[in-house]
Amino acid sequence: MSGRALQTLIALILAGLWGAGLGFAHWRGNVWFIDSVEATMTDLRTLVRGTAKPPELMTIVAIDDEVVRDEGSYPLSRATLARIIDTVTRFEPKAIAIDLLLVDPRAKDDDEALARSLSRSASVIAAAAVYSGGKQWTAAEGDGPLGRVPNAERFLWPLKAFSDVAAVGVVNVVTDRTGTPRFIPLLFRAGDRVEASFSLRVATVAVGEDPAIAPDRLSLGRRWIRTDIGHILPLAFYGPRGTIRTISAATVLDGQLDRSVIQDRIVVIGATATGAGDVFPTPFDPVLPGVEVMATAIAHLMTGDGIVRDHYVRLADAGFAVLLPVALVGLLAWRRSAIGLAAIVGMVLIWLVVNMTAFSHHIWLSAALPMTAAAPPAILFGAAQLWSGRNRAQYFATQSELLQRVQAQGLGKWLAKHSDFLLEPVRGDAAVIFIDLSGFTGLSETLGPNATRELLKTFHALVDEEVTRCGGIVTSFMGDGAMILFGLPEPATDDAFNAARCCVGLSSRTNNWLVSLPASTASRLGFKIGAHHGTIVASRLGGEGHQHIAATGDTVNVASRLMEIAADQDAEVAVSDKMLQVAGGDCELFKSGALRGPVETQIRGRSGSLAIWLWQSADAAVDQAP
């Protein structure tokens, strides 16, 4: 397995473990730290979903500003409340729910009147759970059947005169950090005492039978209602205030009540008056009255139209928390390109569509959990990939720079653009030059390795500079010599002309270099150059790890042998007649130094003779003159 594949595998495993850890904590109900994000995402999804039609079986009788104005004070007197209940009772509702805390005694006659009114109807009144520190909801304790139901300090119970004639339910709600109600607890406890919620008690009275409560659901009548951890019911609001049918208590007191909005319906009586204080922010309304929150929960229990989040939904959330980060890391590893980015965006969009579709069908899949699970691994792995890519880019830049040093600059750039260059042998015309130092082998035995290296380094540098200046390439340095080509990567009509100029330039620069050396070194060194023009076969040779450009053929052999002719004839350059003909009479070999020939010469290892010319720089020609 390659290093990159191993890194990707490790990243996938870590992303999966991270997601699995978060998913397990969510399944257990222990990811409170992302609740604020989930709350925001839930509000957005609720707004996208839009308002929904509430069930017809709910009616709210609002103690609003009108009835408070008529009454002259708030809270209403209990005699007035008794009149409202009596009037509603005459129209035969399924149940009457009074979302008011009746905990303090008032005028005796008024309390007795209210107690009589409650006894004549199927009514439910409110109690409250009191928690330490004033919190509405505290951490659960234990794992038993009621272990996830938080333990209150005590219950704030209505007067006994009222609780003796009416059912009682606890009205507390679970809100998020913004104060938005998210859940209705169906059960409450204070020590060993367990009480039902207000909404559950109302639904029970309306149905006429007690519920069967299981860890993740309850049955009410013939309907099973799925609940979340700790026997809590998620809330899905229908719309802004007034979405659930609401009539003013003033209408009831004035005798203008329409029987159709009461009969066989659940009537919830509660305060909506300005300053009553029982209001909550929701996605649709910043001040939704608490009575509508209670009515919403009762409607969910009666019709099952609420949003579902139970342990099966949480298990699906855990699955997404594992799959999404693994998928994103896998896509990041697969392609770091526009296609890979499009695939990642597509994956996220698919998940968003699935999530929103489920929410629209009353399934509350978590949005924050998969985001929290996916973002850190994707960001960290993406950053690691960028860092790795930067290092690899630096590596390849270094390799490219080294390639430019090993190969001629033009050839290196050509190979970078044409990776298949010379994968198959290419036959074509080229000018070939060989240059070699005379006496170097004997000299190196006395100089030592460091001095020899410095000498060669300087010689190779001047050859490379001159060849590059003239437009050729050095295909190889062979110890104290070099092979030079004019005709790669592409042949040109002036290859021979440039090669002739290069011969003169190499001779001049090498002479100057030798003069700059210590006399004891320079006296033992010389050089010779051979040049020929003709057909060569160029190809790339070597294995997968290293390849080099090679040129073969008779032209190469002749150019190499011409160095021997130059040495034998005390010339600096031996050039074939063919090359001079192709270079033309304006080439540098004709314009400078001393050129003599042509001379028919036998070339070692080759049948027949070859017409060659011998060239000497002007200074060397003067030194050799008789």
Side-chain angles (χ1 to χ4, degrees):
M1 182 180 291
S2 67
R4 182 178 179 185
L6 180 60
Q7 292 172 0
T8 300
L9 178 61
I10 293 173
L12 290 172
I13 293 173
L14 291 177
L17 290 175
W18 164 254
L22 286 177
F24 180 74
H26 174 71
W27 184 69
R28 296 277 298 168
N30 297 324
V31 286
W32 55 267
F33 55 89
I34 62 172
D35 283 350
S36 58
V37 178
E38 182 63 27
T40 301
M41 298 299 294
T42 301
D43 287 348
L44 289 174
R45 285 175 289 178
T46 300
L47 293 173
V48 170
R49 184 208 67 191
T51 59
K53 184 178 180 180
E56 290 292 328
L57 61 82
M58 301 299 303
T59 297
I60 295 173
V61 173
I63 301 174
D64 55 10
D65 290 336
E66 181 181 357
V67 73
V68 170
R69 184 175 58 254
D70 294 343
E71 180 74 7
S73 65
Y74 181 84
L76 299 182
S77 68
R78 287 179 180 167
T80 302
L81 182 59
R83 287 173 52 205
I84 295 172
I85 294 172
D86 287 339
T87 303
V88 171
T89 301
R90 287 199 299 270
F91 290 97
E92 301 176 344
K94 284 183 178 293
I96 299 176
I98 297 92
D99 183 24
L100 300 169
L101 288 176
L102 307 173
V103 297
D104 298 320
R106 301 282 179 85
K108 182 179 179 181
D109 292 344
D110 289 355
D111 286 349
E112 290 176 352
L114 179 57
R116 287 192 299 271
S117 297
L118 292 172
S119 66
R120 298 188 190 109
S121 63
S123 58
V124 181
I125 56 178
V130 179
Y131 292 93
S132 60
K135 295 181 179 178
Q136 283 281 73
W137 199 245
T138 59
E141 302 172 358
D143 292 321
L146 297 176
R148 306 309 294 269
V149 177
N151 200 358
E153 283 188 343
R154 60 188 176 89
F155 291 119
L156 194 60
W157 210 249
L159 293 177
K160 187 174 185 302
F162 304 142
S163 62
D164 284 345
V165 295
V168 181
V170 181
V171 294
N172 298 62
V173 300
V174 179
T175 61
D176 60 23
R177 295 177 184 273
T178 66
T180 300
R182 297 295 175 188
F183 302 95
I184 294 293
L186 299 180
L187 296 176
F188 294 85
R189 65 175 178 142
D192 295 332
R193 183 179 179 182
V194 178
E195 295 293 340
S197 71
F198 182 78
S199 54
L200 178 58
R201 192 69 77 185
V202 173
T204 299
V205 170
V207 171
E209 62 181 70
D210 291 334
I213 299 177
D216 60 344
R217 59 181 180 166
L218 64 87
S219 69
L220 197 61
R222 297 183 178 180
R223 182 184 302 280
W224 282 98
I225 308 296
R226 295 159 66 182
T227 56
D228 202 356
I229 295 172
H231 306 286
I232 58 178
L233 180 73
L235 285 172
F237 296 101
Y238 298 107
R241 64 187 300 163
T243 300
I244 297 176
R245 181 194 295 110
T246 301
I247 60 175
S248 173
T251 302
V252 178
L253 293 171
D254 291 344
Q256 300 176 3
L257 189 59
D258 182 356
R259 185 183 190 88
S260 64
V261 302
I262 300 295
Q263 189 172 25
D264 292 328
R265 306 183 189 281
I266 297 173
V267 177
V268 186
I269 301 173
T272 64
T274 303
D278 187 24
V279 294
F280 298 90
T282 70
F284 296 111
D285 199 318
V287 286
L288 186 75
V291 64
E292 289 202 44
V293 176
M294 290 295 109
T296 300
I298 296 167
H300 290 345
L301 288 171
M302 292 297 296
T303 64
D305 66 348
I307 194 163
V308 176
R309 186 165 84 168
D310 59 6
H311 73 282
Y312 293 111
V313 175
R314 287 179 178 269
L315 190 61
D317 289 336
F320 280 112
V322 174
L323 292 177
L324 193 60
V326 169
L328 291 185
V329 169
L331 290 173
L332 284 171
W334 174 52
R335 285 199 176 181
R336 287 171 292 171
S337 61
I339 295 177
L341 181 60
I344 291 171
V345 172
M347 173 67 70
V348 173
L349 288 177
I350 290 172
W351 169 72
L352 288 174
V353 169
V354 170
N355 191 282
M356 188 63 220
T357 301
F359 193 84
S360 299
H361 288 80
H362 306 285
I363 304 296
W364 185 0
L365 289 173
S366 175
L369 177 70
M371 290 170 56
T372 304
I379 292 172
L380 290 175
F381 184 72
Q385 291 286 83
L386 289 175
W387 180 78
S388 175
R390 180 179 178 184
N391 283 353
R392 292 183 66 190
Q394 290 176 345
Y395 169 78
F396 286 122
T398 302
Q399 295 302 307
S400 177
E401 183 180 353
L402 290 174
L403 177 63
Q404 297 300 331
R405 294 177 183 176
V406 174
Q407 299 283 1
Q409 185 177 18
L411 185 57
K413 291 181 179 179
W414 184 270
L415 286 171
K417 294 180 180 179
H418 306 84
S419 59
D420 59 347
F421 178 60
L422 296 183
L423 285 178
E424 296 294 332
V426 174
R427 189 180 184 90
D429 289 339
V432 183
I433 300 174
F434 280 90
I435 182 172
D436 189 57
L437 293 177
S438 304
F440 180 80
T441 302
L443 178 63
S444 63
E445 293 176 356
T446 61
L447 287 179
N450 290 334
T452 300
R453 177 183 176 276
E454 290 301 318
L455 197 67
L456 279 179
K457 182 179 178 181
T458 308
F459 173 65
H460 288 175
L462 76 85
V463 171
D464 186 62
E465 289 174 4
E466 186 60 29
V467 171
T468 301
R469 185 182 70 84
C470 294
I473 62 170
V474 178
T475 59
S476 62
F477 284 105
M478 301 164 289
D480 58 348
M483 176 181 173
I484 302 159
L485 281 180
F486 286 81
L488 284 181
E490 291 183 304
T493 56
D494 58 353
D495 286 337
F497 179 87
N498 289 331
R501 181 162 63 101
C502 184
C503 289
V504 175
L506 284 174
S507 176
S508 175
R509 294 192 61 168
T510 304
N511 277 317
N512 292 336
W513 172 64
L514 290 174
V515 170
S516 69
L517 295 175
S520 58
T521 300
S523 62
R524 300 177 62 181
L525 287 177
F527 69 92
K528 49 191 178 293
I529 298 173
H532 185 40
H533 186 277
T535 301
I536 64 166
V537 177
S539 60
R540 280 158 60 175
L541 301 179
E544 291 295 329
H546 173 75
Q547 292 186 337
H548 63 278
I549 305 298
T552 57
D554 183 62
T555 301
V556 177
N557 294 332
V558 169
S560 177
R561 300 303 184 199
L562 287 178
M563 287 192 298
E564 300 176 5
I565 304 300
D568 291 342
Q569 299 294 327
D570 285 332
E572 295 175 2
V573 180
V575 58
S576 66
D577 182 65
K578 181 179 180 181
M579 177 165 161
L580 283 180
Q581 290 180 14
V582 176
D586 290 334
C587 74
E588 198 68 25
L589 289 171
F590 284 109
K591 291 183 176 180
S592 63
L595 183 65
R596 51 191 172 90
V599 179
E600 290 292 330
T601 306
Q602 188 70 35
I603 305 298
R604 181 168 60 88
R606 189 174 189 271
S607 61
S609 61
L610 182 70
I612 66 169
W613 295 74
L614 299 171
W615 184 89
Q616 200 83 354
S617 64
D619 292 341
V622 170
D623 291 341
Q624 292 181 4

